């Protein structure tokens, strides 16, 4: 029987046709994957012959026992595949192992439907790039796209079809460990990063065996947990959600992302896993998403704990009916969906639609043509950690680093006598971060090793541990500092202090590290801090003691080399913060797109204005901020006209000049403020940016087009569009820029 079906499927493949629908490729990247527009008759043919059990199996996703990314490992996943009860596997990789599992699915099940292999390729697969918060600080979309492409090539060659990335969760909550996995606080920048990553993973043709399907996560608003505690309650107005949180998810969907992952959190009292407003009304009806939705790890089961489902059966029914097509690891679809369909609690149509979506993604990946096209040991060897991949990783690591302070301490002289101090200086492991995929630490250079390439007069002293109160290493650290021309201290967080289930109530460096800094700084030697951390930190105390601070995040496989190149001036810092660094946790949530309030703080010392008694309102380092080894000046923003209407646009421009003596890269940023709206508007919103590299003395005029779309927002009646009135337009180096021009939009 199986062979007859296979024959039927082969015939269909040969006669497959392509129906076209209009391409909705966003104008900024024509390289959107092209085969989404095809129709796949094989999917209909399969649906006609599939039993209920076979259909449900396609909606089931289990982890292998290769990697642990959640609380439960289900025994017997191989038997489940063989029995047709599991059509999708995650956490299994390598060409050999995926081939072995695929052979079971293809040769030992009745219909031979290929498995889909997923994995958390978050910031690289074997070649590890900086954490995503760092990547976003590069503001370099072509390079971000390239990093995703590298990750896809490596992962696809190891048998993977599907990554659980990009993570599109906007976050203004530094206590939340997963702030490290996202693109920071801003919807505009976050959308650009999301698009770049989807294009990078999915390429121009999803059937190309070097591309993988993207998964937009965690839908929605997972980045706003109360008090920053992972998995905690999320609540915000629909307006706030739409304006500040949804745009990156939507950008990724518009870019053609094939799948979406429902988040763990509730939104408006309903777990996202079964939230039909999010999964069906917004995602499918408003945005036209035609891929499939997967729950997060045991997300369906967790609806029992949320208190919106009596039991797993109830949860599974709610989830599928709400638009959640695939069950990751709860086992509820497997155990209860058949009964639910038979009892009419889930309609056959709903089930079939979900199966159709899953099969369509498999077809788009070319798996029905050749289920083994991704498992190639040869390609795996050829694509993994190539020189080109590593170079991309090094460049992105360099561009991700943000120079927060520099009182003439950097760049360092090559060959100088340097004391390298701190608990993270010699850690290659932390460079790779907590979500390192299949990245391995062997052969990775620590920052200390990178520095040693620039001078053979290095004295290394660890000084203290990451935490605790043992100061026995302080003496040696101070002695080393005294004997050196300059000091580099590598401080920060362990890589597992951020990421999933890694929230913290403090965003300070552990006391022991600050104490060590104090002791070393007291020597009077120029001290540069290199920071490794996965969240914005309160650096108020440290910034007063150090001469220079380089924020390196967790910079990945090539981070040691990249940081050293920046420290010694072979590369210049060009990163800009994608998230605000507060002065103290007490300012959180703090973000640049705040509202003006009815009592903005404009009269220093006046009581009844919106301010703190014990701290200024401004952050320590604002969104968009970052220094380099040269300086830039900005001309006043100029406009091609001072007004436009629905069918028009105007051009804004400003001239940027490199006023220093070295070449440098500036990220020119455009912000808008809508002065009067039907609802309150932020005091600034990022609406454009461009990286420009200028030689000493060189000037460049950077232009931005201002369109009705760019000034649109969710109006009082929750429709999206522009409103007539006056706008301020700022072009500058960071979100605290002040120079503006004014224009009017006429309806
Ligand atoms: C749980 C995490 O929230 C999600 O980001 C990840 O993709 C899944 N586990 C699978 O590992």
């Amino acid at each position: 029987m199986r062979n007859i079906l296979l024959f039927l499927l082969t015939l269909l493949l040969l006669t497959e046709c392509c129906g076209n629908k209009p391409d909705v490729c966003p104008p900024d990247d024509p390289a959107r994957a092209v085969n989404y527009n095809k129709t796949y008759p094989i999917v209909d043919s399969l649906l006609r012959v599939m039993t209920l059990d076979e259909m449900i199996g396609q909606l089931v996703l289990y982890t292998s026992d290769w990697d642990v990314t959640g609380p439960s490992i289900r025994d017997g996943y191989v038997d489940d595949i063989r029995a047709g009860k599991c059509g999708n596997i995650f956490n299994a990789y390598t060409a050999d192992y995926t081939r072995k599992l695929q052979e079971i699915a293809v040769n030992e099940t009745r219909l031979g439907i290929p498995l889909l292999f997923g994995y958390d390729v978050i910031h690289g697969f074997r070649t590890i790039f900086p954490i995503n918060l760092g990547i976003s600080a590069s503001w370099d979309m072509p390079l971000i796209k390239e990093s995703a492409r590298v990750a896809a090539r490596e992962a696809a060659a190891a048998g993977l079809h599907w990554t659980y990335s990009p993570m599109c969760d906007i976050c203004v909550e530094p206590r939340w460990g997963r702030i490290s996995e996202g693109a920071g606080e801003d919807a505009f920048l976050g959308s650009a990063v999301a698009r770049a990553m989807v294009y990078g993973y999915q390429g121009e043709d999803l059937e190309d065996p070097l591309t993988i399907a993207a998964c937009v996560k965690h839908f929605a608003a997972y980045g706003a947990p109360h008090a920053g505690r992972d998995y905690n309650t999320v609540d915000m107005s629909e307006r706030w959600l739409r304006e500040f949180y949804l745009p990156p998810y939507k950008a990724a969907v518009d870019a053609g992302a094939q799948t979406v992952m429902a988040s763990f959190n509730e939104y408006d009292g309903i777990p996202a896993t079964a939230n039909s407003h999010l999964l069906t009304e917004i995602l499918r009806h408003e945005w036209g998403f035609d891929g499939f939705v997967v729950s997060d790890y045991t997300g369906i089961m967790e609806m029992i704990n949320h208190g919106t489902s009596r039991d797993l059966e109830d949860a599974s029914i709610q989830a599928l009916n709400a638009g959640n097509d695939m069950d990751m690891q709860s086992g509820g679809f497997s155990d209860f969906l058949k009964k639910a369909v038979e009892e009419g609690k889930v309609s056959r149509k709903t089930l079939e639609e979900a199966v159709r979506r899953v099969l369509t993604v498999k077809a788009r990946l070319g798996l029905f043509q050749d289920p083994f096209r991704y498992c190639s040991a040869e390609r795996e060897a050829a694509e993994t950690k190539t020189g080109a991949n590593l170079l991309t990783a090094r460049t992105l690591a360099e561009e991700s680093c943000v120079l927060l302070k520099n009182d003439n301490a950097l760049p360092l002289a090559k060959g100088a006598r340097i004391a390298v101090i701190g608990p993270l200086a010699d850690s290659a492991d932390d460079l790779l971060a907590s979500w390192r995929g299949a990245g391995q630490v062997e052969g990775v250079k620590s920052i200390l090793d990178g520095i040693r390439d620039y001078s053979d007069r290095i004295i290394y002293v660890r000084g203290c541990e990451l935490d605790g109160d043992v100061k026995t290493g302080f003496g040696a650290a101070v002695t080393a500092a005294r004997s050196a021309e300059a000091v580099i201290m590598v401080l920060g967080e362990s890589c597992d202090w951020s990421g999933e289930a890694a929230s913290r109530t403090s965003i300070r460096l552990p006391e022991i590290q600050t104490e060590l800094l104090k002791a070393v700084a007291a020597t009077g030697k120029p001290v540069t801090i290199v920071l490794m951390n996965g969240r914005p930190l309160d650096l108020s105390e440290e910034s007063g003691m150090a001469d220079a601070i380089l924020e390196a995040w967790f910079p990945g496989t090539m981070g040691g080399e990249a940081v050293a190149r920046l420290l010694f001036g072979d590369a210049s810092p060009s990163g800009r913060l994608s998230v605000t660094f507060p002065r103290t946790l007490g300012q959180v949530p703090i973000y640049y797109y705040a509202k003006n309030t009815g009592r903005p703080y404009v009269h220093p010392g006046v009581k009844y204005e919106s301010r703190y008694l014990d701290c200024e309102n401004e952050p320590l380092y604002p969104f968009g901020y970052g220094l380099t080894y040269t300086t830039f000046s900005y001309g006043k923003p100029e406009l091609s006209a001072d007004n436009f209407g629905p069918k028009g646009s105007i051009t804004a421009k400003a001239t940027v000049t490199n006023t220093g003596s070295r070449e440098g890269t500036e990220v020119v940023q455009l912000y808008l403020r809508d002065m009067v709206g039907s609802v309150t508007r932020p005091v600034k919103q990022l609406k454009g940016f461009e990286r420009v590299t200028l030689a000493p003395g060189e000037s460049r005029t950077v232009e931005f087009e201002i369109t009705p779309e760019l000034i649109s927002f969710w109006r009082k009646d929750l429709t999206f569009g522009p409103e007539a009135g006056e706008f301020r337009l700022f072009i500058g180096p960071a979100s605290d820029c002040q120079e503006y021009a004014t224009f009017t939009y006429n309806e």
Side-chain angles (χ1 to χ4, degrees):
M1 174 65 172
R2 213 188 112 248
N3 289 342
I4 300 174
L5 284 165
L6 274 179
F7 175 71
L8 182 77
L9 295 183
T10 317
L11 256 185
L12 269 164
L13 274 171
L14 292 173
T15 55
E16 204 154 84
C17 68
C18 308
N20 282 332
K21 59 180 182 185
D23 200 309
V24 285
C25 171
D28 56 344
D29 196 326
R32 182 177 186 271
V34 289
N35 64 337
Y36 311 151
N37 297 338
K38 282 190 189 172
T39 53
Y40 293 91
I42 190 167
V43 172
D44 291 310
S45 313
L46 278 170
L47 281 168
R48 275 198 290 274
V49 297
M50 287 172 91
T51 63
L52 263 187
D53 285 322
E54 284 164 339
M55 283 200 255
I56 291 163
Q58 289 304 308
L59 307 185
V60 173
L61 169 66
Y62 289 137
T63 177
S64 85
D65 48 7
W66 274 41
D67 216 338
V68 180
T69 58
S72 85
I73 296 282
R74 185 184 163 99
D75 289 333
Y77 64 94
V78 177
D79 295 336
D80 287 328
I81 297 171
R82 190 169 281 118
K85 288 182 164 178
C86 168
N88 314 280
I89 288 287
F90 69 117
N91 290 338
Y93 53 91
T94 73
D96 286 347
Y97 192 51
T98 53
R99 177 176 291 275
K100 207 163 133 193
L101 296 179
Q102 194 66 297
E103 274 167 358
I104 297 174
V106 171
N107 299 330
E108 299 184 38
T109 64
R110 187 177 76 103
L111 294 176
I113 299 175
L115 291 168
L116 185 68
F117 290 105
Y119 194 58
D120 288 285
V121 182
I122 305 298
H123 48 103
F125 179 62
R126 296 278 190 194
T127 302
I128 302 304
F129 296 94
I131 55 167
N132 302 75
L133 190 59
I135 286 179
S136 63
S138 75
W139 299 56
D140 186 342
M141 298 310 131
L143 192 60
I144 293 175
K145 177 177 159 186
E146 183 55 27
S147 75
R149 183 144 290 180
V150 166
R153 294 174 80 91
E154 291 189 350
L160 294 169
H161 313 132
W162 181 29
T163 174
Y164 303 137
S165 173
M167 196 268 219
C168 299
D169 304 324
I170 291 297
C171 185
V172 295
E173 177 46 86
R175 289 172 291 187
W176 192 51
R178 304 197 79 171
I179 195 170
S180 62
E181 292 177 50
E185 74 187 38
D186 181 62
F188 187 87
L189 181 63
S191 299
V193 172
R195 265 193 298 272
M197 293 190 77
V198 172
Y199 294 141
Y201 291 134
Q202 299 197 162
E204 289 165 30
D205 182 355
L206 214 54
E207 282 178 22
D208 177 345
L210 292 174
T211 60
I212 54 179
C215 181
V216 181
K217 71 186 191 187
H218 305 82
F219 193 68
Y222 180 41
H226 282 183
R229 208 178 69 224
D230 206 0
Y231 317 124
N232 205 4
T233 307
V234 170
D235 196 21
M236 65 178 71
S237 69
E238 175 100 6
R239 180 180 310 286
W240 201 274
L241 178 81
R242 285 180 181 272
E243 176 135 22
F244 303 117
Y245 281 78
L246 291 188
Y249 307 111
K250 179 166 190 299
V253 166
D254 287 348
Q258 292 294 291
T259 73
V260 169
M261 187 184 291
S263 51
F264 286 126
N265 56 282
E266 66 172 76
Y267 173 71
D268 197 17
I270 302 181
T273 307
N275 192 316
S276 56
H277 179 53
L278 295 175
L279 302 184
T280 298
E281 288 168 20
I282 294 182
L283 187 60
R284 294 205 182 279
H285 297 168
E286 283 185 35
W287 299 356
F289 173 65
D290 76 343
F292 70 81
V293 173
V294 61
S295 79
D296 202 342
Y297 202 115
T298 56
I300 295 178
M301 186 192 292
E302 289 167 26
M303 288 166 56
I304 304 168
N305 284 340
H306 274 292
T308 50
S309 301
R310 277 185 311 279
D311 50 30
L312 188 54
E313 179 176 351
D314 185 23
S316 305
I317 293 168
Q318 286 187 34
L320 191 69
N321 282 336
N324 194 327
D325 305 301
M326 190 182 282
D327 173 358
M328 184 196 291
Q329 203 59 16
S330 289
F333 279 13
S334 198
D335 292 348
F336 302 110
L337 274 192
K338 187 172 182 190
K339 178 165 164 265
V341 174
E342 285 166 354
E343 289 174 355
K345 291 179 180 156
V346 167
S347 72
R348 207 183 156 93
K349 183 164 173 286
T350 302
L351 178 74
E352 275 186 20
E353 272 313 300
V355 178
R356 176 187 299 284
R357 291 175 191 134
V358 173
L359 294 179
T360 302
V361 171
K362 290 186 178 186
R364 286 171 176 167
L365 284 157
L367 292 177
F368 290 109
Q369 293 164 18
D370 176 5
F372 302 101
R373 65 192 308 158
Y374 289 75
C375 342
S376 151
E378 270 164 35
R379 211 172 41 234
E380 191 173 16
E383 293 291 345
T384 301
K385 285 180 100 171
T386 62
N389 295 0
L390 294 172
L391 186 60
T392 304
R394 193 185 78 186
T395 311
L396 190 49
E398 285 165 13
E399 292 192 6
S400 298
C401 290
V402 184
L403 184 63
L404 297 174
K405 177 176 180 184
N406 187 16
D407 285 347
N408 296 319
L410 294 177
L412 295 161
K414 294 175 187 168
R417 185 171 169 82
I418 292 168
V420 179
I421 298 170
L424 287 165
D426 198 21
S427 172
D429 188 73
D430 284 285
L431 293 175
L432 300 187
S434 61
W435 215 314
R436 60 186 61 183
Q440 283 153 357
V441 77
E442 287 73 36
V444 172
K445 276 190 184 180
S446 66
I447 291 179
L448 175 63
D449 291 338
I451 292 171
R452 283 202 166 116
D453 287 344
Y454 281 90
S455 172
D456 49 15
R457 299 197 300 141
I458 300 298
I459 328 149
Y460 164 62
V461 179
R462 189 175 171 90
C464 68
E465 297 308 310
L466 278 164
D467 210 350
D469 52 13
V470 180
K471 293 188 175 173
T472 46
F474 277 32
V478 168
T479 307
R482 283 210 183 100
S483 72
E485 294 159 52
V487 182
I488 298 170
M489 297 189 71
V490 189
L491 306 176
E493 302 183 320
S494 160
C495 71
D496 53 18
W497 294 1
S498 55
E500 187 176 351
S503 295
R504 288 173 63 81
T505 58
S506 169
I507 58 166
R508 302 269 339 251
L509 281 182
E511 183 84 31
I512 188 83
Q513 296 191 47
T514 309
E515 289 293 314
L516 180 65
L517 170 64
K518 210 176 279 174
V520 170
T523 63
K525 293 296 164 85
V527 177
T528 294
I529 305 178
V530 176
L531 284 170
M532 282 211 263
N533 47 283
R535 52 167 59 78
L537 294 176
D538 159 2
L539 299 170
S540 295
E541 207 176 333
E542 293 74 16
S543 63
M545 290 191 273
D547 297 280
I549 305 179
L550 183 71
E551 174 57 76
W553 317 105
F554 295 111
T557 305
M558 297 299 284
E561 283 96 322
V563 167
R565 280 168 52 80
L566 291 168
L567 293 174
F568 289 91
D570 275 352
S572 295
S574 60
R576 302 291 185 266
L577 292 178
S578 57
V579 67
T580 302
F581 272 44
R583 289 176 191 278
T584 156
L585 186 59
Q587 290 181 310
V588 166
I590 181 169
Y591 43 87
Y592 81 91
Y593 46 88
K595 304 290 184 75
N596 202 39
T597 81
R599 295 188 178 188
Y601 184 46
V602 285
H603 304 103
V606 166
K607 182 168 172 63
Y608 295 105
E609 293 190 351
S610 181
R611 63 166 177 133
Y612 300 104
L613 291 180
D614 58 348
C615 180
E616 41 194 292
N617 284 2
E618 282 65 41
L620 188 61
Y621 301 118
F623 174 87
Y625 168 82
L627 305 170
T628 184
Y629 295 152
T630 186
T631 46
F632 298 97
S633 71
Y634 279 73
K636 240 181 122 38
E638 290 171 34
L639 299 169
S640 58
D642 63 6
N643 68 85
F644 68 107
K647 295 214 162 54
S649 68
I650 53 174
T651 304
K653 62 181 182 184
T655 300
V656 190
T657 304
N658 181 344
T659 50
S661 53
R662 295 173 71 105
E663 182 185 275
T665 299
E666 173 69 329
V667 180
V668 180
Q669 299 161 40
L670 166 78
Y671 294 89
L672 291 183
R673 175 168 178 187
D674 184 346
M675 297 308 289
V676 180
S678 57
V679 294
T680 60
R681 308 296 302 130
V683 289
K684 262 184 203 143
Q685 274 187 302
L686 183 74
K687 291 293 174 182
F689 57 88
E690 193 174 321
R691 279 174 60 95
V692 293
T693 299
L694 300 176
E698 188 182 350
S699 293
R700 179 94 42 90
T701 299
V702 177
E703 294 191 353
F704 300 97
E705 194 186 0
I706 315 299
T707 60
E709 173 74 16
L710 205 67
I711 60 168
S712 293
F713 65 102
W714 294 95
R715 296 170 292 203
K716 190 170 181 188
D717 60 358
L718 272 185
T719 57
F720 187 76
E723 279 180 356
E726 189 185 306
F727 291 77
R728 285 186 187 169
L729 178 147
F730 306 75
I731 298 178
S735 59
D736 59 354
C737 57
Q738 298 298 333
E739 283 272 21
Y740 65 84
T742 304
F743 68 85
T744 306
Y745 178 74
N746 310 308
E747 259 161 8

